[in-house]
Amino acid sequence: MADFRKSTVYQVYPKSFYDSNGDGLGDLRGITEKLDYIRDLGADYIWITPFFVSPQNDNGYDVEDYYKIDPRYGTMEDFEELAREAGKRGIRLMLDMVFNHTSTRHEWFRKAMEGDEAYKDFYIFRKGKAPGVPPTNWESKFGGSAWEYVEQFDEYYLHLFDVTQADLNWDNPRVREELQKIVRFWMGKGVKGFRFDVVNLISKGAFEDDDQGDGRRFYTDGPHVHEYLKELNEATFGTDAEFITVGEMSSTTLENCYRYAGEDSHELSMVFSFHHLKVDFMGNEKWVIVPFDFQKLKDILYEWQTKMAEHRAWNAVFWCNHDQPRVVSRFGNVKKYWKESAKMLGTVVHCMRGTPYIYQGEELGMTNCGFTDISQYRDVESLNHFRILQDKGLSEENAYQILAIHSRDNSRTPMQWTGGRQAGFTEGEPWIQVSENHSFINAEDEERDEDSILSYYRKLVQLRKDYDVIAYGDFEPLDVRNPSVMAYKRTWEGQELLVICNFYGKETVWSSGQDLDAFCCILGNYEDQRTEKDRAALRPYECMVLYRKK
């Protein structure tokens, strides 16, 4: 049986992964054709973002039919072949379930709009406070009001995301039963994992104006969320000991995550939290340009590592996904120390307590896209904020600078398989432009280079399988206030692991307080390691993983 603590999950964004038929869109057959690549990386699970029928207003996170595969991605036969072929290679599939909301083109919502009261109760409709005034002042996470007026009912429906993504009413037991049926259907197809999108938003609290913010305190980690997740667990995946689940937790708290992912809580296997990926925001505002706060990054990671361990709860550890900019562009140095910083950042998360997730192309050191014109962008959030930023008085140039750093399209450009035409992603015209640096950042070249980022990631994935201290060990932060170095210690049954990472492009000397000569280096991003007694001389972005068995 797969142990999720020793496993690594590889995330595929199918639209941008590999196009098997030349239409410019990645597809399910494309994943099947690249299974050997994922196997050779060492991944145990593939998390596939939504490929269900969808109008694609939010790249598939607006689901029109949970039971059918969007023809642009292939057929049910293609999925079944993918599941079979993955199984032959010892890889399990994890599907992405978007259960906070559906597309407004979903059959349930269409029936609601026809006036069917039973289906109106599948969603959250409310009267306005006054003519032309929404029920509350809550804001959509994509900008503007979270309420959309429906003239025929003289009511508004709630959409925390795009206007075409209507929030489901989880307080209605019929909704929960329908969602359980969907989970059981895909379990029947051999799926062995689920990632639940923004699942901590499913239980809404009071529908009141928020005089302190955008409304999120009324719907985040809501009053019945733990009850509903336990119910889903017990009715579906909780019956299969081999299943893994991960919840995407938006603006959550540690205290709630102890329960979501507690060893004995019977909710989820693990959680995604994003606090560490807001250290280059200004408060909760992401559409700004500020340097990342290294001390805050360390404090957040250390707190989540230690507190989740104390409460016997489990983390997903990651830098990248389809909603985040590329980490090497964000916290690394893509100009002078691209390779060194990409390897160092991978080391940070892969040696932590938690299940590591690799987002397609991260293992190659893929960078932000470098787009310079709004016509190149596809992401609804980016397009909205390009307008919103200028409405707030920013120049077009400044708006472009902010998009270049924070747009979700940074992670959605096609996977860079080769240095040739369209990066080997498609024979046709890709749905979104390929990054120009594919000529020197691509899988084909890195396969041939023993010093490549890809080669290094394969070693990182194998370390977790080879060393129990990484999978099961305690976590202890070291030298917490060091301005340049992130360091921590893992211990387990007489094994000790030191992870030392220089986050900057200048040399520094790190004092460990213990005899480093007693350790051997099992991985590093420079050919040699300069340690002497209790000191390590670290070159730009240098990392080292030191091990000893007492």
Side-chain angles (χ1 to χ4, degrees):
M1 186 173 83
D3 181 346
F4 62 76
R5 294 170 296 181
K6 290 186 83 75
S7 297
T8 298
V9 182
Y10 188 81
Q11 184 192 351
V12 166
Y13 190 70
K15 198 172 183 179
S16 297
F17 190 60
Y18 184 64
D19 171 21
S20 71
N21 61 5
D23 67 355
L25 293 169
D27 45 48
L28 293 176
R29 290 183 71 85
I31 304 172
T32 305
E33 289 186 28
K34 296 295 186 181
L35 281 172
D36 287 347
Y37 171 86
I38 297 171
R39 177 201 61 201
D40 293 346
L41 183 61
D44 304 276
Y45 291 83
I46 301 173
W47 155 27
I48 310 172
T49 57
F51 49 77
F52 313 111
V53 171
S54 164
Q56 296 288 320
N57 290 320
D58 188 22
N59 281 293
Y61 284 85
D62 47 327
V63 179
E64 184 176 337
D65 190 329
Y66 293 97
Y67 293 100
K68 291 183 181 168
I69 289 167
D70 196 307
R72 73 190 78 199
Y73 294 122
T75 64
M76 189 61 77
E77 289 72 28
D78 292 336
F79 176 79
E80 290 164 351
E81 181 190 18
L82 170 59
R84 279 195 308 274
E85 290 298 320
K88 288 178 188 175
R89 293 161 175 80
I91 300 171
R92 296 163 186 238
L93 301 185
M94 171 188 277
L95 299 196
D96 207 325
M97 290 296 164
V98 189
F99 282 172
N100 176 69
H101 46 263
T102 73
S103 167
T104 51
R105 279 174 35 181
H106 194 287
E107 179 187 21
W108 300 338
F109 193 81
R110 291 206 306 266
K111 287 182 174 177
M113 293 297 278
E114 289 165 6
D116 186 324
E117 289 299 325
Y119 282 97
K120 272 189 77 183
D121 195 38
F122 269 47
Y123 297 90
I124 298 169
F125 283 88
R126 291 288 186 277
K127 289 286 184 188
K129 286 184 295 190
V133 182
T136 71
N137 65 349
W138 299 359
E139 293 174 20
S140 160
K141 291 177 182 289
F142 289 173
S145 173
W147 297 96
E148 179 71 4
Y149 183 63
V150 180
E151 189 174 1
Q152 70 218 56
F153 304 140
D154 188 29
E155 290 178 326
Y156 293 77
Y157 68 84
L158 180 68
H159 63 93
L160 295 180
F161 295 87
D162 188 61
V163 67
T164 66
Q165 293 167 294
D167 279 53
L168 285 164
N169 175 19
W170 275 68
D171 293 335
N172 179 348
R174 275 196 63 201
V175 169
R176 304 199 300 275
E177 287 164 14
E178 289 294 333
L179 298 177
Q180 290 164 19
K181 285 180 194 171
I182 294 162
V183 169
R184 284 193 289 269
F185 173 82
W186 288 104
M187 287 176 69
K189 293 285 182 185
V191 170
K192 285 293 182 183
F194 289 116
R195 179 261 193 192
F196 292 104
D197 184 63
V198 293
V199 75
N200 65 320
L201 309 185
I202 59 175
S203 175
K204 277 65 174 179
F207 289 92
E208 300 174 9
D209 276 347
D210 188 352
D211 56 4
Q212 299 172 31
D214 56 12
R216 71 183 62 195
R217 64 193 179 100
F218 291 112
Y219 57 74
T220 303
D221 302 317
H224 301 290
V225 64
H226 296 286
E227 170 193 334
Y228 293 159
L229 284 176
K230 272 191 173 69
E231 180 184 80
L232 182 63
N233 177 313
E234 288 164 8
T236 59
F237 54 79
T239 60
D240 184 345
E242 294 189 344
F243 231 84
I244 69 165
T245 53
V246 58
E248 181 196 27
M249 301 296 164
S250 173
S251 304
T252 191
T253 64
L254 261 166
E255 292 70 23
N256 276 291
C257 288
Y258 304 153
R259 297 173 66 186
Y260 291 132
E263 208 170 277
D264 303 313
S265 66
H266 305 290
E267 293 185 30
L268 302 167
S269 308
M270 64 192 88
V271 291
F272 282 121
S273 62
F274 295 90
H275 299 68
H276 66 297
L277 295 176
K278 295 181 179 179
V279 296
D280 52 357
F281 288 19
M282 193 175 288
N284 269 320
E285 175 53 50
K286 104 175 189 180
W287 299 99
V288 292
I289 301 176
V290 292
F292 84 95
D293 186 329
F294 178 54
Q295 188 60 52
K296 188 176 178 184
L297 177 70
K298 288 201 293 184
D299 290 347
I300 292 167
L301 288 173
Y302 290 160
E303 182 180 34
W304 278 79
Q305 284 285 297
T306 54
K307 294 286 179 64
M308 289 288 277
E310 283 171 22
H311 290 83
R312 293 165 60 227
W314 197 252
N315 278 310
V317 289
F318 71 103
W319 290 123
C320 299
N321 64 34
H322 61 288
D323 284 335
Q324 298 293 332
R326 292 288 184 177
V327 69
V328 69
S329 295
R330 193 172 189 176
F331 302 142
N333 182 326
V334 295
K335 291 181 179 171
K336 194 171 180 185
Y337 298 107
W338 163 66
K339 192 179 278 190
E340 293 86 352
S341 60
K343 291 177 181 179
M344 181 276 291
L345 289 161
T347 304
V348 169
V349 295
H350 279 263
C351 293
M352 282 184 166
R353 179 184 183 275
T355 299
Y357 285 65
I358 299 169
Y359 177 67
Q360 62 184 50
E362 178 186 345
E363 75 281 8
L364 304 176
M366 278 180 62
T367 67
N368 282 354
C369 56
F371 290 164
T372 55
D373 191 273
I374 196 63
S375 65
Q376 296 171 289
Y377 287 94
R378 300 289 178 267
D379 172 40
V380 61
E381 184 189 36
S382 301
L383 297 173
N384 286 350
H385 276 88
F386 185 66
R387 185 194 71 248
I388 290 167
L389 289 167
Q390 290 176 81
D391 288 348
K392 287 180 176 177
L394 269 73
S395 68
E396 189 176 274
E397 182 184 1
N398 283 344
Y400 274 128
Q401 289 170 344
I402 291 170
L403 256 62
I405 293 169
H406 290 297
S407 171
R408 300 190 302 180
D409 279 339
N410 282 309
S411 58
R412 296 176 180 182
T413 56
M415 179 73 172
Q416 293 167 204
W417 294 106
T418 73
R421 184 179 179 277
Q422 307 297 12
F425 162 71
T426 181
E427 293 293 321
E429 286 300 312
W431 73 277
I432 189 172
Q433 190 175 313
V434 168
S435 177
E436 291 182 4
N437 63 22
H438 73 276
S439 59
F440 60 91
I441 302 177
N442 64 76
E444 185 177 60
D445 288 351
E446 295 199 28
E447 288 272 6
R448 295 192 288 255
D449 178 6
E450 288 184 11
D451 187 45
S452 68
I453 297 166
L454 174 60
S455 174
Y456 191 87
Y457 261 75
R458 287 172 175 167
K459 293 171 186 171
L460 277 176
V461 172
Q462 191 60 40
L463 275 189
R464 177 169 292 268
K465 294 175 171 42
D466 292 343
Y467 292 89
D468 285 352
V469 65
I470 299 177
Y472 308 122
D474 295 333
F475 183 96
E476 181 189 340
L478 300 174
D479 197 8
V480 173
R481 295 290 151 199
N482 190 297
S484 306
V485 175
M486 180 181 291
Y488 56 85
K489 179 160 70 174
R490 308 290 312 280
T491 50
W492 173 258
E493 295 186 348
Q495 299 176 58
E496 201 170 318
L497 196 81
L498 289 181
V499 182
I500 309 158
C501 299
N502 179 7
F503 259 73
Y504 290 93
K506 58 183 185 293
E507 295 196 9
T508 188
V509 175
W510 183 70
S511 299
S512 69
Q514 54 193 307
D515 182 11
L516 297 181
D517 293 338
F519 290 78
C520 65
C521 183
I522 57 174
L523 191 62
N525 61 352
Y526 281 78
E527 282 187 12
D528 61 323
Q529 286 71 45
R530 302 186 302 186
T531 61
E532 185 178 352
K533 296 181 180 174
D534 69 338
R535 295 159 74 81
L538 300 171
R539 286 155 288 198
Y541 294 98
E542 182 166 8
C543 63
M544 53 182 78
V545 182
L546 307 179
Y547 174 82
R548 71 171 172 178
K549 191 164 186 176
K550 293 180 181 176

